[in-house]
Protein backbone atom coordinates (compact mmCIF):
# COMPACT_ATOMS: atom_id res chain seq x y z
CA UNK A 1 0.00 0.00 0.00
CA UNK A 2 1.31 3.41 -0.91
CA UNK A 3 0.94 6.27 1.52
CA UNK A 4 0.43 9.77 0.16
CA UNK A 5 1.56 12.83 2.10
CA UNK A 6 0.85 16.37 1.08
CA UNK A 7 2.81 19.27 2.51
CA UNK A 8 1.82 22.63 1.01
CA UNK A 9 5.19 24.11 2.04
CA UNK A 10 7.16 21.53 0.06
CA UNK A 11 5.94 22.22 -3.49
CA UNK A 12 3.00 23.46 -5.52
CA UNK A 13 2.47 20.24 -7.47
CA UNK A 14 0.48 17.12 -6.72
CA UNK A 15 1.05 15.20 -3.48
CA UNK A 16 4.23 13.17 -3.22
CA UNK A 17 3.81 9.42 -3.16
CA UNK A 18 6.22 7.50 -0.96
CA UNK A 19 6.67 3.76 -1.34
CA UNK A 20 5.65 1.38 -4.06
CA UNK A 21 7.66 0.93 -7.22
CA UNK A 22 10.74 3.21 -7.31
CA UNK A 23 10.57 3.28 -11.11
CA UNK A 24 7.12 4.90 -10.94
CA UNK A 25 7.69 8.64 -11.33
CA UNK A 26 4.04 9.67 -11.14
CA UNK A 27 3.17 12.06 -8.34
CA UNK A 28 6.80 12.47 -7.30
CA UNK A 29 8.67 15.67 -6.73
CA UNK A 30 11.79 16.57 -8.66
CA UNK A 31 14.95 16.68 -6.65
CA UNK A 32 18.21 14.97 -5.80
CA UNK A 33 16.54 11.72 -4.76
CA UNK A 34 14.77 11.47 -8.11
CA UNK A 35 17.98 12.19 -9.98
CA UNK A 36 19.69 9.31 -8.21
CA UNK A 37 16.78 6.98 -8.87
CA UNK A 38 16.56 8.06 -12.50
CA UNK A 39 20.19 7.16 -13.14
CA UNK A 40 19.13 3.49 -13.41
CA UNK A 41 22.23 2.54 -11.42
CA UNK A 42 21.79 1.85 -7.74
CA UNK A 43 24.95 3.76 -6.84
CA UNK A 44 24.87 3.40 -3.07
CA UNK A 45 23.55 -0.10 -3.30
CA UNK A 46 26.12 -1.37 -5.79
CA UNK A 47 29.23 0.63 -4.92
CA UNK A 48 29.19 0.79 -1.12
CA UNK A 49 31.72 -2.05 -0.85
CA UNK A 50 34.24 -0.04 -2.84
CA UNK A 51 33.53 3.09 -0.81
CA UNK A 52 34.03 1.25 2.50
CA UNK A 53 37.23 -0.32 1.19
CA UNK A 54 38.69 3.00 0.10
CA UNK A 55 37.60 4.62 3.35
CA UNK A 56 39.43 1.92 5.29
CA UNK A 57 42.57 2.41 3.16
CA UNK A 58 42.49 6.17 3.82
CA UNK A 59 41.98 5.69 7.56
CA UNK A 60 44.85 3.20 7.81
CA UNK A 61 47.18 5.37 5.70
CA UNK A 62 46.43 8.44 7.80
CA UNK A 63 46.56 6.67 11.14
CA UNK A 64 49.76 4.69 10.56
CA UNK A 65 51.74 6.70 7.98
CA UNK A 66 50.69 10.31 7.44
CA UNK A 67 49.84 11.45 10.98
CA UNK A 68 52.93 9.91 12.68
CA UNK A 69 55.25 11.49 10.10
CA UNK A 70 53.44 14.82 10.45
CA UNK A 71 53.73 14.71 14.23
CA UNK A 72 57.45 13.88 14.06
CA UNK A 73 58.06 16.69 11.56
CA UNK A 74 56.11 19.13 13.74
CA UNK A 75 58.13 18.15 16.82
CA UNK A 76 61.41 18.47 14.94
CA UNK A 77 60.53 21.82 13.37
CA UNK A 78 59.48 23.44 16.64
CA UNK A 79 62.20 21.68 18.69
CA UNK A 80 59.71 19.91 20.90
CA UNK A 81 60.12 16.61 22.70
CA UNK A 82 58.80 13.92 20.39
CA UNK A 83 55.96 11.84 21.80
CA UNK A 84 55.12 8.60 20.07
CA UNK A 85 51.98 8.69 17.93
CA UNK A 86 49.09 6.68 19.37
CA UNK A 87 46.58 5.73 16.68
CA UNK A 88 43.01 6.40 17.68
CA UNK A 89 41.80 3.31 15.84
CA UNK A 90 43.87 1.08 18.11
CA UNK A 91 42.23 2.41 21.25
CA UNK A 92 39.83 -0.08 22.76
CA UNK A 93 41.70 -3.10 21.50
CA UNK A 94 41.48 -2.16 17.83
CA UNK A 95 37.74 -2.77 17.58
CA UNK A 96 37.52 -0.31 14.68
CA UNK A 97 39.77 -2.55 12.58
CA UNK A 98 37.97 -5.69 13.72
CA UNK A 99 34.59 -4.21 12.77
CA UNK A 100 35.74 -2.84 9.41
CA UNK A 101 37.47 -6.06 8.42
CA UNK A 102 34.45 -8.08 9.52
CA UNK A 103 32.17 -5.98 7.30
CA UNK A 104 34.53 -6.15 4.34
CA UNK A 105 35.37 -9.82 4.86
CA UNK A 106 31.77 -10.98 5.02
CA UNK A 107 30.84 -8.94 1.97
CA UNK A 108 33.78 -10.22 -0.06
CA UNK A 109 32.91 -13.77 1.00
CA UNK A 110 29.32 -13.19 -0.19
CA UNK A 111 30.36 -11.34 -3.37
CA UNK A 112 30.38 -14.37 -5.71
CA UNK A 113 26.83 -15.19 -4.60
CA UNK A 114 25.71 -11.59 -5.12
CA UNK A 115 27.27 -11.41 -8.59
CA UNK A 116 25.68 -14.73 -9.59
CA UNK A 117 22.21 -13.50 -8.66
CA UNK A 118 22.67 -10.21 -10.55
CA UNK A 119 23.21 -11.98 -13.88
Amino acid sequence: MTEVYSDPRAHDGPPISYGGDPANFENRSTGAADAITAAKTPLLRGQWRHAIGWLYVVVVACDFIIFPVEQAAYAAYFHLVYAQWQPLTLQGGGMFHVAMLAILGVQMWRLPNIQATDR
Side-chain angles (χ1 to χ4, degrees):
M1 180 166 181
T2 302
E3 297 178 80
V4 177
Y5 299 98
S6 180
D7 184 4
R9 297 171 295 167
H11 58 83
D12 295 331
I16 302 170
S17 173
Y18 295 99
D21 184 14
N24 182 9
F25 290 105
E26 294 178 8
N27 295 331
R28 294 190 61 179
S29 68
T30 57
D34 289 336
I36 292 172
T37 306
K40 303 274 185 184
T41 303
L43 182 64
L44 295 176
R45 200 167 168 201
Q47 301 296 325
W48 71 271
R49 291 174 197 87
H50 302 295
I52 294 255
W54 281 111
L55 174 71
Y56 186 67
V57 167
V58 168
V59 166
V60 168
C62 287
D63 220 11
F64 296 116
I65 299 170
I66 296 170
F67 294 158
V69 170
E70 182 179 341
Q71 183 181 10
Y74 180 83
Y77 182 77
F78 289 107
H79 305 291
L80 300 173
V81 177
Y82 175 72
Q84 182 178 356
W85 174 256
Q86 297 177 357
L88 295 174
T89 58
L90 291 182
Q91 304 296 323
M95 287 306 290
F96 174 79
H97 295 286
V98 171
M100 289 294 286
L101 292 176
I103 291 169
L104 290 171
V106 167
Q107 289 305 316
M108 290 301 119
W109 179 62
R110 285 187 49 206
L111 189 60
N113 296 338
I114 294 170
Q115 289 177 345
T117 58
D118 288 344
R119 292 181 189 168

